[in-house]
Structures are given as C-alpha cells and as structure tokens.
Amino acid sequence: MDYIFYLAIFKVLMLCDILFTPGYGENLDIPLKHPDTSSDLSTWSPNEHGAHPDPDKSRLPIFSVNYPRIQIPFEITLWVLLASFAKIGFHVYHKITVWVPESCLLISIGLIVGGIMHSVHEEPPAVLTSNVFFLYMLPSIVFDSGYFMPTRPFFENFGTVLWFAVVGTLWNSIGIGISLYAICQIEVFGVQDINLQENLLYASIISAVEPVAVLTVFEDISIHEQLYIVVFGECLFNDAVTVVLYNLFNHVAELRVVEAGDVFLGIASFFVVGLGGLLFGLLFGFVASFTTRFTGKVKEIEPLIIFLYSYLSYLIAELFAISSIMAIVTCALTMKYYVEENVSQRSCTTIRHVIKMVGSVSETLIFFFLGVVTITTEHEWNWAYILFSILFALLWRGLGILVLTQIINPFRTIPFNYKDQFGLAYGGLRGAVSFALAFTLPDSIGPKKLFITGTIVIIIFTVFIQGITIRPLLKLMNVRKTNRNLETINVEIHKRVGFTVDIIYVSILNYGLILTFFSNAGLKIIIIILNYNNCLVFQLMEHTVAGIEDLCGQWSHYYWKDKFMKFNNQIIRKILIRDNRPESSIVALYKKLELQNAMEILDSMSGDISSPPSPISSHASKSKKILASDVKNMHELLSKNMYKSRQRTMSHTNKHSLPNDVTAKEILIRRHTSLRRSLRAESFHGPKTSQKFFSLPTGQSLNSRLTPGRFASAGDDDAESEMDYASIRSTFRHPQRSMIPLRRPGNLKKVHSSVNVVDEENEKQRIYRSSRSGSSFTGSAHQITHQPHSFSGNISNKGHGSDSKEQKSFSPPNALKHEPQNNSDVQYPLLRRPQ
Amino acid sequence: MGASQSGQPHEFQHLSDKTGFSIEQIKNLHNRFEYLTQDEGTLRREHLENIENLALNPIRKKIIEAFFDKRNLGQEGEGYLDEIGFEEFLTILAFFTPSKQRTGEDDKQKTRKEKLRFLFNMHDTDNDGFITLDEYRHVVEKLLSSNETIEIETAKAIADAAMLEVASVTVGRMGPDEFYEGVTFEHFMQILKGLEIETTMNINFWNLDSTAFQCGKSK
C-alpha cells in the first residue's frame, strides 16, 4: 500500500519535473534565461512576449499565453511544490528517513533535478539571491526554531548554549581561518592568492552548524535533554554569530588592508550587533504580546500580528545592521508565552502551523537548491584547499568542544562526559545557512567559486557521512539517555492496553510521557501518560531546591527562575495578558486532566458503538487487541468535537514536523482510568472523608473553582497547549465549548446514590455512568441512539450560541450549586437532548 | 560547635570525607552557617525563618523542618531537633549534591533513593512511614498557597487525584472495602520512577566565596 502510494508520488514528481522543465525549453529562444530575470522582466516590451503565441498581432487573440508575466511566481510555486512532493515522498515510506536524514534525501533529489537541468543546459533558478535568502528564507527558518524552542530546558542550559554558540563559533571561525591561511602559504597547493581576511570569511561560513538532521536522530534515540537542548540552542544562536561574523569579515575582506583599530572596532561592533538584536527582539516581543491583548474581537488577524511583529523586528534589525537573527529569535521566545495565552486556540494553531510550514519549506528549498546548484554551477576545485578545510572543520570542532566543555563543566550541575562531547562534536553538521551564505558571497571576493565548492563539499560530507553514521555511532556508544527506556515503556503499555508497540518516538516530560508509535493496526497513535505525582513532587522539589539555595546563599537557575516567575507574575503578566491569573503548572495539569476525563467519556461511547470495546477506555477489555475500526470510530466521533485538544506539544519538538502531528490518531491512557472503579468504593478514603471527589465536588463547575474561562478550549479544533508552560489558553469566548469536557466530578459519587432514581433528567447520565464504570459495557440501544443525537445537538448549538449569554449562565458558581439539575443541560452537554 | 571549628582544616577534611563537599565548598558553607547563626554556633528555626529570600517560598516551613528532622540527619529515633550544628547542616545540604560523574548504576540508584527519601520525609510529617491523604493534601495546599486564585477545595481535589493515582499504580484494583492507608516509600519510588530526580534535584555549590555578596544582598 505504502509502496504503491510512494510510486504514485514519484510519478507525480516526475510529471512535475516534466511539466516545468520543458517550460524552460520552450522559452529557450527568448531571453528568459537571463540570470537576473527578476530585474529584466519589467523592462520587457509587450511585443516580445505577445509575439510568442500568435504572430498575427492585428487581431484580438482568442488564445494567448503570456508566460513571462507569470514566470517568477510560477517557477517559485513549482519549485516549492516539487520540494514538498519530495518531502511527502520521504514520509510516505517513513523507514527511509529513519536511516537517512531528510536533508540527505533532499540534496539527492536536488542533485538529480540538477542533473536533468544540466543535461538540457538549463540555468539554475535565479531565486536564491542574497536578498531572497536574507529577507525571506532565513527569517522563516530561524523564527521557526526560535518559536518552537523548548523553553524550560533552554533556560536551564542557557549559559552552556551561549558559551558554545558564541565562543564555539568564534573559536571555529578563527581556528579554521588561521589554519587555512597557513595552508595557503604552502606554494605546492597553489592557493597563495587567498589572504587572511578571505580565509576567515570562508571559515565563518563553514562554522555554522545545522540542527535539523542531528536533532531528528537525537529525538529518535531519546538522548538526554541537556545534550539535545545544547545542540538545538547552539545551532540557533550560532546562526546569529555566524551571520554577524560573516558580515564583519565580508566587510573586512573588501578592505584589503586591516589595521589594529579595525579589529577592535570589529569586536565592539560584535557586541553592539548581538546585544542590539537582543534588545530589539525583546521590545518587539513585548509589543506583540501587548497588542494581542486587544485582538480578542478580531481573531482573524491574530496570527498576522505575530508574523508582522516578528518580521518587523527582523527587518528593523536589518535596517540598523544589527543581528536580525538574534532579534527575531528573541522576539519569538519572548512573545510565545504571552501571545499563546492571549490568542484563541484557533489562532494559536494557525500561528504554529504557519510558522512550521514556512520554516520547513524554506529549509527544504535550500537543501534542494543545494543539490541543484552543486550540479549546475561551475566549480573551482582545489584538492588541497578543500580537503584541508574538511579536515580543519572537523578538527577544530572536536577540539573546540573538548576545550570549551572542560571550561564550562565546573559550572554545570551535570557535567558533560566524553560521550556527550563526542555527540556534540560529531553532531556538528553544516547545512542550509552555510550554503546560503556561501552562495550569496559578493563577486568582489576573488576565490568565490572555490569557497562555494568548498562549502558544498563540506555540507555534503557532513550531512551524508556524519548524518548517516551518527545514529549507529551514538547507539553503539550508548550515550546517556533519558531515564525511560523503550522496554519499560513497552511493558507499561502492554500492561495498560494489551498490545506491544513499535515505538518510534518518545518524549519525556517532567510529569508524564508522550509516546508516538505505530500500532499493529498500522495507525499512528500517541499515548500520553500523565502523572499527578510526578508533577507535584517535581514542583515540591523545585521549591525545595530554590529554598535551600536561598538558605545557603547559592543561586543558580532555580533561583533565577524563582525570581523571574515572581517578576513575571507580578508585573509582566499584568501588562501583557488579557485576563491575567498566575497559574501553577499543577493546576494547569489538573485542568487538562479534567478535560481528558471528558475525552474518556467519548472513548467509552465509541466502545459502545463498535462492538468490540475499545481497550483504551476500559480496564475490562484490557486484553483485547485494538482494532483499526475502533480507533477510526473514536476518532471520527472525537474529531467532531473536542478531540484534538488532547494533543500536546512534545518537549522535544521535531524540527520538521509540527509538535503535534494532527494526522496522528491519539489515544490517551491515564492512570486514573482504572481508578474510577476503586473510587466507587466509598471506603477508599476511609472514614476521614465522607466526600470523595475524583475531581470536584458535586454541583460546582470547574469554572467556579478555577480561574474562569481559562481552560483549554475543548471545542476548538487542534487545540494545542504546551506542557512546559502549562499555559492554558483563554477560551472565555466559548464557555459552552469549554464546558463540554468537564465532567462534573461528583457524578462518580452519584453513581451509587442515584442508581435507583428513575428520573427523566438523570436517566441518561446514569446509563452513561454505569457504562463508565465498566459494569455494563454493552450499553443499551437507548444509549446508542441518543448519544450521537446529543452530539449533533451540541455541535449545532455551538454555532449559534450567544457567547455572552452563555458566559453569564456559567459564571455565577452559586447558581450552579443551588440548582444543579436545572443546569445539567449546561453541565452535561453531551447528555443533553437534541434541541 | 560550629564556631569552634573555624580554622580547623582537619575538621573540614573530616566533613569533606563524610559529606562529599570539597574543602572550599565547606569553607563557603561554613561562612554562610556563621552568618545565619550570627556566630552562635548552632542553628535554630528562627534563624532560618529570618531569611528574607525564603519568606516567599510556599513550602518554607517544610524546608526548615527538614533541617531538624532526625531521619534526614541519620540519627536514631524520630522527631525533630531544636538546634543543629554545622555538621548536621552539611548533612542536609549533601542531599542536594549532584551525583559524581562516573558512578555506576548502583550509585546512581542510591543517590536517587536518598533524594527521594528526603522528599518523602518532607511529606511524611508524622513519621509513620506513610504519606496519608491529609499529609498529602497539606503539601499540595502549601505548594499552591502562593497562588491566590486557587481555593483549598481545588488543592484537595488535586491531592485526592494524586493519591488515587498512587493507589491504582501500586495496588492495582482494590476491593470495595479496601482502604489505602497511605503512600509508603516503596510506592513513592514506584510512582516516581519516571521523574529524573537525580539530575534535577541538585545545587551547584560554589567553590568561590560568595558570602560577602550574598550578605549585602540579604540585608
């Protein structure tokens, strides 16, 4: 099945190739192929292209082709499409990407396309100019990385990240540059004409490391968090450093004569550029957050605000020639937290999707062009220079990591051991940024061609050889992992749902874990196991450590985190967040679990509908295999309503896919699923408590307890929230929806008390509850027929509901307390009759 | 006794062997200890309660109590001391030292167990080896107390849910008349096996003297 689809994709790909390659050929006779097509286009006289379809100009043309008019956007579209097809192709047959990094495949495809173009004497597209790269592609790539940076681990390792990014890149650039300069002095190699400045420029280009391939590997082998985040952060910030250095050396290389004063000015400008970027980023981040405070009524432009501000920060930083990468990354990091609380779920999803989409398309295109350009440009090949640059690139990277780690280790709570250092050093692949920088070198640089060739060789060498071997090597070396290994997870899953899985992705949170795997039914399933205790104890631990640090006068990131959180809660949030209520992560988790309770209601319903009960929702059917039909049913049911709000951001976000894969079927396993039965036993808490609510006391909505209107909106599609931040988006505008999943906690207790009450209002609730408790899983026909109805009623209601009115009906908790029955429609929208 | 130890390197050496701190760290901490105790030689609760930075910590009381808890100090019997010396002070802080870089799996487990035991003792205030529901609730309430918008009921509900979670994971299904009396340490370890406590519950004790700066800051 996969194979056929893959073939089909391949055919489409070829078709696409054929479609546009002749497109070039057809126009070969007209001067379209001029490298600077974009600038030439406007100057073209209409005669030239009008003549093409129909030489007879006196009559009104019935059919005309005006290719030049659309050429630029048309070609761009086709390129993007081709790159996207390639990407789809790799992921259809996912086993390829496990062994060969995606960037390798993209380069290979690029090489093939380049080969085809070369054979028909086709020029490479003139799209990748310096401006296109720096104004459009680079910002989208780095914004993507910045926005999806896992914040908590990043700040925990902030010092190390900066150390490696700034000092490491300087070390590499200067080291490689000087050693290459030394090589240039040897006459045998015939490269004496390259002076020191140019060598340094080249060195700064090839010292930018690229995270994509490595991070995917790191994720797959579930490497420990510190290593992951250091590589991620290093790659991100060293882009900034590299670009600064590049501009600096570019300037210096053109000077020809460098005085000592220039060096100091260079160093000074380095700081101005870096810190200036940081400031602009912060400024725009806060302004963007502040703006989203007021976008509540115009949600359709919410995502736009985010993009505009971040792009503006980039452009303005460019304007003042300060580090624009730094600006946009800081902007993304700053606003992410606040913006995501302010905007609606939908906007939040849109923002994430668009960022991811644009970012990955840019990156794909760059790798793709790398392949094409490799074939189609003239190369200047100098064995000695290129081989030595590979050698030095590897050598200085290795040395740099070794030395810099020795320096940073005493400051780290958990030092890097030699295996980690190997991972760091070997993970230094070169990629998109290096290539683009090399390609956009000004022509005034003498050995430009040699530099491009050298850069391409280094990229291909590192991406192919290191990229492919890093996985087996790291596995062989048994680098530290997160303390969950696959076997124990599999045992756990087996215990819970009764099937073993081939886990392909594991992500560990502080208080739970997320697994992605392919079940034997072939469905991609994400399991989230959340754990209250982990969360609670983790918090207790954090507070304790912060307290002890205060006590003995030490302070580290816990201390700063503590201080920042205080400042954040007291000042920043009040300014930036619309309905500001500081919230601890345990409360957020609690609310999420409340949501999931409701999800399980749906799970069990689908179990009723399809005859073999779904094992996920029920303890009783533990041993049954999950059937594809079950999952599908469930998915359909859920996707109509609040299903997707269960998705979580993984703490390790994959660079190439959105944190939560929307296509993934997702099944939730919660520790408490099985609890309800034990809870039913009134004696659970012994004589101490007569009321034992699994969650909230009867008749009190979660709204009344917790901050109103701040649950994750269950009704919104693709609701996403991030565990790290515990930020639950405000859904004040959709109280109806947000109530849906909130199972009134008291109903657990009520199961017993109301079993015998044959009340019109309660009947369905009762049935539902008994089905929850697992005793009557078969369910009655009554139930089966009614629940879908209530579903649809519910859905249709969503559309028309007057938000403000509904909101009022929710907000006074007292009303609910006194008249729970009257409000049961509201409380149990799932169980409501069709209206 | 703390004051009398100052300037006695062999004493510090002895403490260093015992707690794993380096001499420099011990000197630093000793300075801090003297500052906290105002050179009285022993540390009492009110000394810790006066620390300004600690005042906003929601679990301040628990942290302070932990310093006087005989179980944490490895002393015989149960209950709490009224005052502790420098050695005890170090013993408590030693719970927060990172495990050494090249230790085997056994040592790692041991460190982990010690750290978890410390946290467990913070929960189990009445020393009976169980974290009862009331004790757990108390902890959760304290944890959330910095958050004005959270009501006690919510804290209770969270504690209940957490308790249930422990029960279900450790005991499995319970009969209708069974009663889960509390979380034992074994259960505590079991439920937290996914938590990377050994790499997170660490303080990077400084080798350099930071006391002077810190004193200025605290005043």
Side-chain angles (χ1 to χ4, degrees), chain A residues 152 156 224-226 409-418 480-484 488 492 495-496 508-511 530-556 558-560 562-563 566 570 581-584 586-587 590 593 619-620 671-672 674-675 677-689 691-697 700 704-707, chain B residues 25 28-29 32 36 43 48 51 53-59 62-64 67 89 92-93 96 98-99 101-102 108 112 116 118-119 122-123 132-134 136-137 139-140 143-144 146-154 156-169 172-181 183 188 190-208 210 213-214 217:
Chain A
R152 185 187 52 82
E156 279 174 10
H224 65 105
E225 206 176 44
Q226 286 92 12
N409 258 350
F411 299 96
R412 287 184 59 82
T413 326
I414 310 147
F416 285 123
N417 58 29
Y418 288 110
R480 268 194 291 159
K481 300 206 171 107
T482 40
N483 66 353
R484 287 249 183 195
T488 56
E492 203 166 331
K495 234 167 50 193
R496 283 155 201 274
I508 313 291
L509 303 167
N510 278 326
Y511 25 81
L530 289 171
N531 191 323
Y532 272 127
N533 286 279
N534 280 2
C535 186
L536 279 172
V537 173
F538 193 78
Q539 274 206 343
L540 180 80
M541 189 273 295
E542 280 197 333
H543 281 301
T544 311
V545 171
I548 300 278
E549 281 179 353
D550 279 340
L551 199 144
C552 55
Q554 309 269 349
W555 61 101
S556 65
Y558 287 108
Y559 174 87
W560 291 113
D562 210 45
K563 289 284 164 286
K566 249 173 240 160
Q570 282 164 6
R581 281 172 193 85
E583 177 175 81
S584 113
I586 177 72
V587 180
Y590 173 66
L593 291 186
H619 210 61
R671 295 228 151 112
H672 338 351
S674 55
L675 293 179
R677 253 141 280 122
S678 40
L679 186 67
R680 273 189 300 133
E682 298 272 305
S683 61
F684 183 84
H685 292 307
K688 280 176 185 161
T689 49
Q691 286 192 319
K692 41 197 83 42
F693 304 118
F694 176 51
S695 26
L696 288 174
Q700 293 182 7
S704 68
R705 301 246 137 264
L706 302 171
T707 57
Chain B
Q25 285 170 336
N28 271 337
L29 292 172
R32 180 66 181 174
L36 286 177
L43 188 69
L48 296 179
I51 299 174
N53 288 330
L54 209 55
L56 289 170
N57 199 312
I59 51 167
K62 295 233 167 259
I63 295 173
I64 293 173
F67 273 84
F89 183 67
I92 298 294
L93 294 182
F96 295 90
S99 58
Q101 201 177 337
R102 281 183 211 84
K108 208 173 144 192
R112 179 180 169 78
L116 281 177
F118 185 85
L119 293 179
M122 284 179 86
H123 284 90
T132 56
L133 185 64
D134 276 348
Y136 211 145
R137 279 183 178 172
V139 173
V140 175
L143 267 180
L144 301 177
S146 60
N147 212 328
E148 316 86 43
T149 52
I150 304 300
E151 290 170 40
I152 285 181
E153 283 296 307
T154 312
K156 269 188 187 162
I158 289 174
D160 291 0
M163 228 22 204
L164 282 169
E165 193 177 78
V166 182
S168 80
V169 169
R173 281 185 89 167
M174 298 177 78
D177 44 325
E178 276 180 73
F179 169 60
Y180 190 69
E181 36 190 334
V183 188
F188 192 69
Q190 195 183 342
I191 193 90
L192 295 174
K193 66 176 187 287
L195 194 63
E196 272 203 46
I197 206 85
E198 62 273 20
T199 54
T200 43
M201 194 171 129
N202 289 325
I203 295 175
N204 202 0
F205 287 100
W206 293 2
N207 283 321
L208 305 167
S210 63
F213 178 47
Q214 188 60 20
K217 205 176 155 69

Side-chain angles (χ1 to χ4, degrees), chain A residues 718-752:
Chain A
D718 289 347
E720 292 162 293
S721 55
E722 189 179 335
M723 295 297 264
D724 284 352
Y725 259 130
S727 62
I728 299 249
R729 233 127 279 111
S730 160
T731 51
F732 214 56
R733 283 87 51 194
H734 304 288
Q736 167 89 7
R737 291 182 201 172
S738 55
M739 284 312 290
I740 293 165
L742 300 173
R743 191 165 55 80
R744 190 166 59 182
N747 56 12
L748 284 170
K749 196 187 164 202
K750 270 179 122 186
V751 173
H752 316 287

Side-chain angles (χ1 to χ4, degrees), chain B residues 81-99:
Chain B
L81 299 170
D82 288 328
E83 50 179 33
I84 56 168
F86 182 56
E87 188 174 342
E88 286 80 15
F89 183 67
L90 278 189
T91 314
I92 298 294
L93 294 182
F95 279 101
F96 295 90
T97 46
S99 58

Side-chain angles (χ1 to χ4, degrees), chain A residues 152-168:
Chain A
R152 185 187 52 82
F154 173 68
F155 282 107
E156 279 174 10
N157 295 284
F158 189 65
T160 317
V161 166
L162 277 192
W163 176 253
F164 280 121
V166 178
V167 184

Side-chain angles (χ1 to χ4, degrees), chain B residues 11-62:
Chain B
E11 273 294 336
F12 283 174
Q13 186 58 50
H14 166 69
L15 288 172
S16 169
D17 294 342
K18 202 173 164 190
T19 56
F21 286 110
S22 74
I23 303 280
E24 282 75 25
Q25 285 170 336
I26 291 181
K27 275 182 189 156
N28 271 337
L29 292 172
H30 190 252
N31 283 341
R32 180 66 181 174
F33 183 77
E34 287 186 332
Y35 167 74
L36 286 177
T37 56
Q38 282 133 20
D39 295 330
E40 284 174 28
T42 52
L43 188 69
R44 290 189 307 276
R45 283 179 177 76
E46 57 265 30
H47 291 139
L48 296 179
E49 276 156 11
N50 287 338
I51 299 174
E52 201 178 282
N53 288 330
L54 209 55
L56 289 170
N57 199 312
I59 51 167
R60 179 179 74 253
K61 283 230 163 57
K62 295 233 167 259

Side-chain angles (χ1 to χ4, degrees), chain A residues 163-325:
Chain A
W163 176 253
F164 280 121
V166 178
V167 184
T169 312
L170 279 173
W171 167 286
N172 276 333
S173 308
I174 293 172
I176 298 173
I178 291 178
S179 354
L180 279 178
Y181 183 60
I183 292 299
C184 292
Q185 302 313 305
I186 302 172
E187 279 182 30
V188 192
F189 301 134
V191 280
Q192 287 101 319
D193 56 325
I194 307 176
N195 62 22
L196 181 61
Q197 297 97 302
E198 285 166 345
N199 269 318
L200 285 173
L201 176 63
Y202 175 62
S204 75
I205 291 172
I206 60 172
S207 52
V209 294
E210 153 77 38
V212 184
V214 192
L215 292 190
T216 324
V217 173
F218 279 10
E219 272 163 22
D220 285 350
I221 61 177
S222 65
I223 208 147
H224 65 105
E225 206 176 44
Q226 286 92 12
L227 198 53
Y228 180 93
I229 197 66
V230 166
V231 169
F232 193 138
E234 186 200 348
C235 293
L236 188 53
F237 283 98
N238 97 5
D239 284 354
V241 179
T242 305
V243 174
V244 171
L245 278 183
Y246 170 82
N247 288 331
L248 191 73
F249 288 137
N250 212 343
H251 181 68
V252 172
E254 284 167 358
L255 283 182
R256 292 286 155 190
V257 183
V258 186
E259 291 164 19
D262 290 336
V263 176
F264 287 109
L265 284 181
I267 294 168
S269 82
F270 186 79
F271 284 102
V272 170
V273 162
L275 293 178
L278 197 74
L279 275 181
F280 268 97
L282 278 176
L283 178 73
F284 277 93
F286 283 125
V287 172
S289 318
F290 189 66
T291 313
T292 51
R293 244 191 106 149
F294 307 101
T295 51
K297 293 274 185 281
V298 278
K299 289 199 213 71
E300 59 277 8
I301 59 161
E302 266 175 352
L304 198 62
I305 298 282
I306 310 308
F307 305 132
L308 291 182
Y309 272 116
S310 40
Y311 195 44
L312 207 60
S313 74
Y314 186 86
L315 289 182
I316 291 192
E318 280 280 283
L319 175 72
F320 292 112
I322 53 179
S323 172
S324 39
I325 298 185

